[in-house]
Amino acid sequence: MENVAMLQFEKPSFFKRLKGMLGVDFYRLFHTPLLYIFLVIAALIPALVSMGAMGGEGETAGMFSNAWQIIAASKPLYIINDMGDYANMNMVFIFGGIMISIFIGHDYKSGYVKQLFTTHSKKEDYMISKSLLGAFSMVCMCGTYLIGGMIAGAGTGLPFTINAGSLICAILGKMIMSLGWASLYTFINVIFRSKFGISIALCFVLGTGIPVIGAAAVIGNTPALNIFLYGSSVYACLTSNALTLFICLMNSVVWAVVYNVLGTLILNKRDCY
């Protein structure tokens, strides 16, 4: 009888708790229009970029020489020299941050977080679940961006000649970086949970890589900047290889751990309601 009682009151394991929270989060994700709206936005971005590249004037005119440059830059450029340096799949990370801000902001506004932390006290589960949810969403956005990019690239009339291995490494590298970016955005939003405008602004500024671009302007266009999320994101370019994937993976995982640990500490020490 004592063994039965112990089994009845046994606390669920970490994986069981996380599975339950992920189930709820993904159910909400798939049953609200938010994800689908951002998937469409990601698919339309390349069309807007290609219109600017082929029909623009001044700096925007003729900024691409290859159709795949809509997906990734030709080489790692930590300092933006022209619009074409950044007009690629990296823009997904900006819109992904906005989507995560809206999703988490709704958690607090609706009272879901208060109800959740009343019955589910493990704050790390919330951080991990939201980070994985955001990473999944951004990977999907990279997918729709890729489809839109190929269609837009065909409309430019530019050549598609490319090293297939490098292209695949570039795309996979950017998708891998989604985990690090999603963890950063989740961290930002648990800090500024009641200040939606600040969360959105920070996600935008960090997503565009302005701090890293500023650092590059001082120390130069150096691979040392790959230690930052933005650095590794631009390192995933059309000359990527297996080393690129390794650097992106290590960077993304390490920063994901750092931001999830810090976010959990904040949630444990502060009033989350």
Side-chain angles (χ1 to χ4, degrees):
M1 293 294 293
E2 290 182 0
N3 290 336
V4 172
M6 290 178 63
L7 288 174
Q8 288 177 339
F9 291 100
E10 184 179 358
K11 293 183 179 180
S13 66
F14 165 75
F15 292 104
K16 188 173 182 179
R17 297 195 319 265
L18 183 59
K19 180 181 178 182
M21 187 167 288
L22 282 171
V24 173
D25 279 342
F26 274 93
Y27 179 87
R28 293 171 58 214
L29 181 70
F30 290 129
H31 287 79
T32 57
L34 185 63
L35 173 64
Y36 307 104
I37 291 172
F38 279 91
L39 289 178
V40 172
I41 290 174
L44 292 177
I45 293 172
L48 299 176
V49 170
S50 65
M51 288 172 59
M54 305 310 296
E57 297 180 357
E59 292 185 355
T60 61
M63 61 185 181
F64 295 140
S65 58
N66 187 290
W68 290 116
Q69 288 175 309
I70 295 177
I71 305 299
S74 297
K75 59 182 179 180
L77 289 172
Y78 309 96
I79 301 176
I80 297 179
N81 296 317
D82 56 56
M83 290 294 292
D85 290 344
Y86 194 82
N88 54 54
M89 193 180 283
N90 284 356
M91 290 187 287
V92 164
F93 301 130
I94 301 174
F95 290 96
I98 296 173
M99 197 205 83
I100 292 173
S101 294
I102 296 173
F103 197 88
I104 295 179
H106 182 265
D107 280 357
Y108 283 92
K109 184 177 181 180
S110 66
Y112 170 73
V113 167
K114 182 176 182 180
Q115 179 185 6
L116 176 67
F117 289 153
T118 300
T119 58
H120 191 113
S121 59
K122 300 296 184 180
K123 308 299 191 302
E124 62 265 28
D125 298 351
Y126 181 84
M127 284 294 304
I128 295 172
S129 180
K130 289 298 183 292
S131 295
L132 292 176
L133 183 86
F136 171 82
S137 300
M138 280 191 272
V139 167
C140 291
M141 290 170 67
C142 285
T144 58
Y145 183 101
L146 176 61
I147 295 172
M150 290 189 292
I151 295 173
T156 64
L158 294 172
F160 276 90
T161 52
I162 194 71
N163 181 300
S166 295
L167 175 64
I168 292 172
C169 286
I171 294 170
L172 291 179
K174 293 185 185 300
M175 288 183 172
I176 288 171
M177 292 307 302
S178 295
L179 177 62
W181 283 109
S183 300
L184 167 61
Y185 294 140
T186 302
F187 173 68
I188 289 173
N189 279 278
V190 299
I191 295 177
F192 299 103
R193 57 196 178 277
S194 60
K195 298 178 176 62
F196 182 72
I198 295 178
S199 297
I200 292 289
L202 278 176
C203 289
F204 178 82
V205 170
L206 294 175
T208 55
I210 291 176
V212 177
I213 294 170
V218 176
I219 66 177
N221 197 48
T222 170
L225 293 169
N226 288 336
I227 192 174
F228 301 106
L229 291 172
Y230 176 83
S232 286
S233 297
V234 300
Y235 189 57
C237 61
L238 297 181
T239 57
S240 296
N241 51 36
L243 177 61
T244 306
L245 284 182
F246 178 77
I247 291 174
C248 288
L249 178 61
M250 291 298 99
N251 181 294
S252 191
V253 170
V254 168
W255 281 112
V257 172
V258 170
Y259 287 127
N260 275 277
V261 169
L262 292 177
T264 299
L265 290 175
I266 290 173
L267 287 176
N268 282 330
K269 292 180 178 295
R270 297 175 60 182
D271 178 12
C272 300
Y273 309 147

PDB file of all heavy atoms in Angstrom, residues 108 113 117 123 187-195 262-273:
ATOM      1  N   TYR A 108       0.770  36.644 -20.826  1.00  0.00           N
ATOM      2  CA  TYR A 108       0.649  37.480 -19.635  1.00  0.00           C
ATOM      3  C   TYR A 108      -0.652  38.281 -19.636  1.00  0.00           C
ATOM      4  O   TYR A 108      -1.287  38.447 -18.600  1.00  0.00           O
ATOM      5  CB  TYR A 108       1.854  38.414 -19.536  1.00  0.00           C
ATOM      6  CG  TYR A 108       3.103  37.715 -19.037  1.00  0.00           C
ATOM      7  CD1 TYR A 108       4.016  37.161 -19.929  1.00  0.00           C
ATOM      8  CD2 TYR A 108       3.357  37.590 -17.677  1.00  0.00           C
ATOM      9  CE1 TYR A 108       5.152  36.499 -19.478  1.00  0.00           C
ATOM     10  CE2 TYR A 108       4.488  36.939 -17.222  1.00  0.00           C
ATOM     11  CZ  TYR A 108       5.381  36.392 -18.124  1.00  0.00           C
ATOM     12  OH  TYR A 108       6.503  35.736 -17.675  1.00  0.00           O
ATOM     13  N   VAL A 113      -0.262  32.802 -17.810  1.00  0.00           N
ATOM     14  CA  VAL A 113       0.937  32.578 -17.017  1.00  0.00           C
ATOM     15  C   VAL A 113       0.600  32.435 -15.539  1.00  0.00           C
ATOM     16  O   VAL A 113       1.143  31.572 -14.845  1.00  0.00           O
ATOM     17  CB  VAL A 113       1.943  33.735 -17.232  1.00  0.00           C
ATOM     18  CG1 VAL A 113       3.053  33.680 -16.193  1.00  0.00           C
ATOM     19  CG2 VAL A 113       2.538  33.652 -18.622  1.00  0.00           C
ATOM     20  N   PHE A 117       1.641  29.056 -13.616  1.00  0.00           N
ATOM     21  CA  PHE A 117       2.616  28.988 -12.531  1.00  0.00           C
ATOM     22  C   PHE A 117       1.958  28.672 -11.190  1.00  0.00           C
ATOM     23  O   PHE A 117       2.652  28.382 -10.213  1.00  0.00           O
ATOM     24  CB  PHE A 117       3.405  30.291 -12.439  1.00  0.00           C
ATOM     25  CG  PHE A 117       4.364  30.478 -13.585  1.00  0.00           C
ATOM     26  CD1 PHE A 117       4.747  31.746 -14.000  1.00  0.00           C
ATOM     27  CD2 PHE A 117       4.885  29.384 -14.248  1.00  0.00           C
ATOM     28  CE1 PHE A 117       5.644  31.911 -15.044  1.00  0.00           C
ATOM     29  CE2 PHE A 117       5.774  29.544 -15.305  1.00  0.00           C
ATOM     30  CZ  PHE A 117       6.148  30.804 -15.704  1.00  0.00           C
ATOM     31  N   LYS A 123       9.689  26.958 -13.613  1.00  0.00           N
ATOM     32  CA  LYS A 123       9.831  28.064 -14.560  1.00  0.00           C
ATOM     33  C   LYS A 123      10.729  27.706 -15.748  1.00  0.00           C
ATOM     34  O   LYS A 123      10.559  28.240 -16.842  1.00  0.00           O
ATOM     35  CB  LYS A 123      10.408  29.294 -13.843  1.00  0.00           C
ATOM     36  CG  LYS A 123       9.668  29.706 -12.589  1.00  0.00           C
ATOM     37  CD  LYS A 123       8.236  30.070 -12.854  1.00  0.00           C
ATOM     38  CE  LYS A 123       7.576  30.730 -11.661  1.00  0.00           C
ATOM     39  NZ  LYS A 123       7.587  29.936 -10.419  1.00  0.00           N
ATOM     40  N   PHE A 187      13.935  35.265 -23.570  1.00  0.00           N
ATOM     41  CA  PHE A 187      14.587  35.926 -22.436  1.00  0.00           C
ATOM     42  C   PHE A 187      14.182  37.391 -22.359  1.00  0.00           C
ATOM     43  O   PHE A 187      13.835  37.902 -21.282  1.00  0.00           O
ATOM     44  CB  PHE A 187      16.099  35.784 -22.586  1.00  0.00           C
ATOM     45  CG  PHE A 187      16.899  36.557 -21.581  1.00  0.00           C
ATOM     46  CD1 PHE A 187      16.882  36.207 -20.242  1.00  0.00           C
ATOM     47  CD2 PHE A 187      17.688  37.635 -21.978  1.00  0.00           C
ATOM     48  CE1 PHE A 187      17.635  36.921 -19.309  1.00  0.00           C
ATOM     49  CE2 PHE A 187      18.439  38.343 -21.061  1.00  0.00           C
ATOM     50  CZ  PHE A 187      18.407  37.987 -19.721  1.00  0.00           C
ATOM     51  N   ILE A 188      14.210  38.090 -23.474  1.00  0.00           N
ATOM     52  CA  ILE A 188      13.828  39.501 -23.515  1.00  0.00           C
ATOM     53  C   ILE A 188      12.387  39.680 -23.055  1.00  0.00           C
ATOM     54  O   ILE A 188      12.074  40.592 -22.280  1.00  0.00           O
ATOM     55  CB  ILE A 188      14.003  40.063 -24.937  1.00  0.00           C
ATOM     56  CG1 ILE A 188      15.484  40.195 -25.279  1.00  0.00           C
ATOM     57  CG2 ILE A 188      13.317  41.430 -25.074  1.00  0.00           C
ATOM     58  CD1 ILE A 188      15.739  40.578 -26.717  1.00  0.00           C
ATOM     59  N   ASN A 189      11.532  38.791 -23.497  1.00  0.00           N
ATOM     60  CA  ASN A 189      10.107  38.968 -23.204  1.00  0.00           C
ATOM     61  C   ASN A 189       9.718  38.610 -21.778  1.00  0.00           C
ATOM     62  O   ASN A 189       8.716  39.130 -21.279  1.00  0.00           O
ATOM     63  CB  ASN A 189       9.278  38.162 -24.201  1.00  0.00           C
ATOM     64  CG  ASN A 189       9.113  38.868 -25.529  1.00  0.00           C
ATOM     65  OD1 ASN A 189       8.258  39.725 -25.697  1.00  0.00           O
ATOM     66  ND2 ASN A 189       9.971  38.526 -26.493  1.00  0.00           N
ATOM     67  N   VAL A 190      10.477  37.762 -21.095  1.00  0.00           N
ATOM     68  CA  VAL A 190      10.166  37.516 -19.683  1.00  0.00           C
ATOM     69  C   VAL A 190      10.679  38.665 -18.825  1.00  0.00           C
ATOM     70  O   VAL A 190      10.195  38.883 -17.710  1.00  0.00           O
ATOM     71  CB  VAL A 190      10.742  36.171 -19.187  1.00  0.00           C
ATOM     72  CG1 VAL A 190      10.149  35.013 -19.963  1.00  0.00           C
ATOM     73  CG2 VAL A 190      12.261  36.139 -19.234  1.00  0.00           C
ATOM     74  N   ILE A 191      11.651  39.426 -19.335  1.00  0.00           N
ATOM     75  CA  ILE A 191      12.122  40.610 -18.614  1.00  0.00           C
ATOM     76  C   ILE A 191      11.132  41.764 -18.784  1.00  0.00           C
ATOM     77  O   ILE A 191      10.726  42.406 -17.817  1.00  0.00           O
ATOM     78  CB  ILE A 191      13.512  41.045 -19.118  1.00  0.00           C
ATOM     79  CG1 ILE A 191      14.556  39.982 -18.810  1.00  0.00           C
ATOM     80  CG2 ILE A 191      13.920  42.375 -18.473  1.00  0.00           C
ATOM     81  CD1 ILE A 191      15.933  40.319 -19.348  1.00  0.00           C
ATOM     82  N   PHE A 192      10.741  42.023 -20.030  1.00  0.00           N
ATOM     83  CA  PHE A 192       9.865  43.166 -20.333  1.00  0.00           C
ATOM     84  C   PHE A 192       8.445  42.676 -20.643  1.00  0.00           C
ATOM     85  O   PHE A 192       7.809  43.161 -21.580  1.00  0.00           O
ATOM     86  CB  PHE A 192      10.425  43.949 -21.520  1.00  0.00           C
ATOM     87  CG  PHE A 192      11.782  44.522 -21.271  1.00  0.00           C
ATOM     88  CD1 PHE A 192      12.915  43.922 -21.813  1.00  0.00           C
ATOM     89  CD2 PHE A 192      11.949  45.656 -20.490  1.00  0.00           C
ATOM     90  CE1 PHE A 192      14.182  44.439 -21.590  1.00  0.00           C
ATOM     91  CE2 PHE A 192      13.212  46.189 -20.261  1.00  0.00           C
ATOM     92  CZ  PHE A 192      14.330  45.581 -20.809  1.00  0.00           C
ATOM     93  N   ARG A 193       7.975  41.741 -19.853  1.00  0.00           N
ATOM     94  CA  ARG A 193       6.671  41.107 -20.119  1.00  0.00           C
ATOM     95  C   ARG A 193       5.516  42.105 -20.087  1.00  0.00           C
ATOM     96  O   ARG A 193       4.524  41.927 -20.780  1.00  0.00           O
ATOM     97  CB  ARG A 193       6.431  39.995 -19.109  1.00  0.00           C
ATOM     98  CG  ARG A 193       6.480  40.460 -17.670  1.00  0.00           C
ATOM     99  CD  ARG A 193       6.626  39.293 -16.705  1.00  0.00           C
ATOM    100  NE  ARG A 193       6.724  39.744 -15.335  1.00  0.00           N
ATOM    101  CZ  ARG A 193       7.850  40.159 -14.772  1.00  0.00           C
ATOM    102  NH1 ARG A 193       8.957  40.190 -15.485  1.00  0.00           N
ATOM    103  NH2 ARG A 193       7.882  40.542 -13.520  1.00  0.00           N
ATOM    104  N   SER A 194       5.639  43.140 -19.268  1.00  0.00           N
ATOM    105  CA  SER A 194       4.557  44.126 -19.156  1.00  0.00           C
ATOM    106  C   SER A 194       4.803  45.355 -20.024  1.00  0.00           C
ATOM    107  O   SER A 194       4.017  46.296 -19.994  1.00  0.00           O
ATOM    108  CB  SER A 194       4.400  44.559 -17.689  1.00  0.00           C
ATOM    109  OG  SER A 194       5.593  45.144 -17.212  1.00  0.00           O
ATOM    110  N   LYS A 195       5.892  45.339 -20.768  1.00  0.00           N
ATOM    111  CA  LYS A 195       6.244  46.475 -21.633  1.00  0.00           C
ATOM    112  C   LYS A 195       6.402  45.970 -23.054  1.00  0.00           C
ATOM    113  O   LYS A 195       7.527  45.780 -23.549  1.00  0.00           O
ATOM    114  CB  LYS A 195       7.508  47.157 -21.127  1.00  0.00           C
ATOM    115  CG  LYS A 195       7.364  47.751 -19.727  1.00  0.00           C
ATOM    116  CD  LYS A 195       8.660  48.362 -19.262  1.00  0.00           C
ATOM    117  CE  LYS A 195       8.500  49.041 -17.893  1.00  0.00           C
ATOM    118  NZ  LYS A 195       8.109  48.074 -16.850  1.00  0.00           N
ATOM    119  N   LEU A 262      19.371  32.109 -17.546  1.00  0.00           N
ATOM    120  CA  LEU A 262      19.141  33.459 -17.033  1.00  0.00           C
ATOM    121  C   LEU A 262      17.647  33.767 -16.937  1.00  0.00           C
ATOM    122  O   LEU A 262      17.184  34.364 -15.962  1.00  0.00           O
ATOM    123  CB  LEU A 262      19.819  34.482 -17.944  1.00  0.00           C
ATOM    124  CG  LEU A 262      21.353  34.472 -17.946  1.00  0.00           C
ATOM    125  CD1 LEU A 262      21.888  35.492 -18.958  1.00  0.00           C
ATOM    126  CD2 LEU A 262      21.899  34.766 -16.560  1.00  0.00           C
ATOM    127  N   GLY A 263      16.887  33.362 -17.953  1.00  0.00           N
ATOM    128  CA  GLY A 263      15.446  33.590 -17.924  1.00  0.00           C
ATOM    129  C   GLY A 263      14.777  32.865 -16.785  1.00  0.00           C
ATOM    130  O   GLY A 263      13.862  33.394 -16.139  1.00  0.00           O
ATOM    131  N   THR A 264      15.220  31.643 -16.506  1.00  0.00           N
ATOM    132  CA  THR A 264      14.657  30.876 -15.394  1.00  0.00           C
ATOM    133  C   THR A 264      14.949  31.552 -14.066  1.00  0.00           C
ATOM    134  O   THR A 264      14.078  31.631 -13.187  1.00  0.00           O
ATOM    135  CB  THR A 264      15.236  29.453 -15.393  1.00  0.00           C
ATOM    136  OG1 THR A 264      14.884  28.792 -16.615  1.00  0.00           O
ATOM    137  CG2 THR A 264      14.667  28.648 -14.226  1.00  0.00           C
ATOM    138  N   LEU A 265      16.175  32.059 -13.894  1.00  0.00           N
ATOM    139  CA  LEU A 265      16.534  32.763 -12.662  1.00  0.00           C
ATOM    140  C   LEU A 265      15.643  33.983 -12.457  1.00  0.00           C
ATOM    141  O   LEU A 265      15.195  34.262 -11.335  1.00  0.00           O
ATOM    142  CB  LEU A 265      18.007  33.189 -12.717  1.00  0.00           C
ATOM    143  CG  LEU A 265      19.040  32.062 -12.617  1.00  0.00           C
ATOM    144  CD1 LEU A 265      20.448  32.617 -12.820  1.00  0.00           C
ATOM    145  CD2 LEU A 265      18.931  31.350 -11.278  1.00  0.00           C
ATOM    146  N   ILE A 266      15.383  34.715 -13.535  1.00  0.00           N
ATOM    147  CA  ILE A 266      14.529  35.903 -13.431  1.00  0.00           C
ATOM    148  C   ILE A 266      13.101  35.514 -13.055  1.00  0.00           C
ATOM    149  O   ILE A 266      12.476  36.130 -12.191  1.00  0.00           O
ATOM    150  CB  ILE A 266      14.547  36.683 -14.764  1.00  0.00           C
ATOM    151  CG1 ILE A 266      15.914  37.328 -14.967  1.00  0.00           C
ATOM    152  CG2 ILE A 266      13.453  37.755 -14.781  1.00  0.00           C
ATOM    153  CD1 ILE A 266      16.092  37.975 -16.316  1.00  0.00           C
ATOM    154  N   LEU A 267      12.582  34.474 -13.690  1.00  0.00           N
ATOM    155  CA  LEU A 267      11.222  34.035 -13.383  1.00  0.00           C
ATOM    156  C   LEU A 267      11.103  33.542 -11.944  1.00  0.00           C
ATOM    157  O   LEU A 267      10.062  33.715 -11.304  1.00  0.00           O
ATOM    158  CB  LEU A 267      10.803  32.919 -14.345  1.00  0.00           C
ATOM    159  CG  LEU A 267      10.487  33.341 -15.784  1.00  0.00           C
ATOM    160  CD1 LEU A 267      10.184  32.113 -16.643  1.00  0.00           C
ATOM    161  CD2 LEU A 267       9.309  34.308 -15.832  1.00  0.00           C
ATOM    162  N   ASN A 268      12.165  32.931 -11.419  1.00  0.00           N
ATOM    163  CA  ASN A 268      12.120  32.423 -10.053  1.00  0.00           C
ATOM    164  C   ASN A 268      12.232  33.527  -9.003  1.00  0.00           C
ATOM    165  O   ASN A 268      11.758  33.366  -7.881  1.00  0.00           O
ATOM    166  CB  ASN A 268      13.274  31.423  -9.837  1.00  0.00           C
ATOM    167  CG  ASN A 268      12.972  30.074 -10.452  1.00  0.00           C
ATOM    168  OD1 ASN A 268      11.825  29.651 -10.540  1.00  0.00           O
ATOM    169  ND2 ASN A 268      14.023  29.377 -10.889  1.00  0.00           N
ATOM    170  N   LYS A 269      12.857  34.644  -9.380  1.00  0.00           N
ATOM    171  CA  LYS A 269      13.119  35.709  -8.408  1.00  0.00           C
ATOM    172  C   LYS A 269      12.126  36.858  -8.471  1.00  0.00           C
ATOM    173  O   LYS A 269      12.077  37.686  -7.555  1.00  0.00           O
ATOM    174  CB  LYS A 269      14.538  36.264  -8.602  1.00  0.00           C
ATOM    175  CG  LYS A 269      15.638  35.269  -8.231  1.00  0.00           C
ATOM    176  CD  LYS A 269      17.003  35.877  -8.453  1.00  0.00           C
ATOM    177  CE  LYS A 269      18.118  34.905  -8.042  1.00  0.00           C
ATOM    178  NZ  LYS A 269      18.092  34.623  -6.610  1.00  0.00           N
ATOM    179  N   ARG A 270      11.347  36.933  -9.548  1.00  0.00           N
ATOM    180  CA  ARG A 270      10.461  38.077  -9.714  1.00  0.00           C
ATOM    181  C   ARG A 270       9.012  37.635  -9.825  1.00  0.00           C
ATOM    182  O   ARG A 270       8.709  36.492 -10.162  1.00  0.00           O
ATOM    183  CB  ARG A 270      10.844  38.885 -10.962  1.00  0.00           C
ATOM    184  CG  ARG A 270      12.238  39.501 -10.874  1.00  0.00           C
ATOM    185  CD  ARG A 270      12.627  40.173 -12.149  1.00  0.00           C
ATOM    186  NE  ARG A 270      11.708  41.260 -12.499  1.00  0.00           N
ATOM    187  CZ  ARG A 270      11.812  41.988 -13.607  1.00  0.00           C
ATOM    188  NH1 ARG A 270      12.792  41.733 -14.466  1.00  0.00           N
ATOM    189  NH2 ARG A 270      10.956  42.944 -13.857  1.00  0.00           N
ATOM    190  N   ASP A 271       8.129  38.567  -9.528  1.00  0.00           N
ATOM    191  CA  ASP A 271       6.702  38.326  -9.678  1.00  0.00           C
ATOM    192  C   ASP A 271       6.392  38.189 -11.162  1.00  0.00           C
ATOM    193  O   ASP A 271       6.604  39.124 -11.941  1.00  0.00           O
ATOM    194  CB  ASP A 271       5.908  39.490  -9.074  1.00  0.00           C
ATOM    195  CG  ASP A 271       4.403  39.304  -9.244  1.00  0.00           C
ATOM    196  OD1 ASP A 271       3.980  38.192  -9.613  1.00  0.00           O
ATOM    197  OD2 ASP A 271       3.676  40.273  -8.975  1.00  0.00           O
ATOM    198  N   CYS A 272       5.888  37.038 -11.561  1.00  0.00           N
ATOM    199  CA  CYS A 272       5.666  36.773 -12.986  1.00  0.00           C
ATOM    200  C   CYS A 272       4.282  37.198 -13.451  1.00  0.00           C
ATOM    201  O   CYS A 272       3.933  37.008 -14.614  1.00  0.00           O
ATOM    202  CB  CYS A 272       5.852  35.279 -13.271  1.00  0.00           C
ATOM    203  SG  CYS A 272       7.498  34.682 -12.869  1.00  0.00           S
ATOM    204  N   TYR A 273       3.486  37.728 -12.581  1.00  0.00           N
ATOM    205  CA  TYR A 273       2.109  38.035 -12.965  1.00  0.00           C
ATOM    206  C   TYR A 273       1.971  39.462 -13.415  1.00  0.00           C
ATOM    207  O   TYR A 273       0.960  39.866 -13.917  1.00  0.00           O
ATOM    208  CB  TYR A 273       1.162  37.760 -11.789  1.00  0.00           C
ATOM    209  CG  TYR A 273       1.362  36.371 -11.191  1.00  0.00           C
ATOM    210  CD1 TYR A 273       1.173  36.159  -9.833  1.00  0.00           C
ATOM    211  CD2 TYR A 273       1.764  35.306 -11.995  1.00  0.00           C
ATOM    212  CE1 TYR A 273       1.355  34.906  -9.307  1.00  0.00           C
ATOM    213  CE2 TYR A 273       1.949  34.051 -11.451  1.00  0.00           C
ATOM    214  CZ  TYR A 273       1.746  33.866 -10.099  1.00  0.00           C
ATOM    215  OH  TYR A 273       1.924  32.619  -9.551  1.00  0.00           O
TER     216      TYR A 273
END
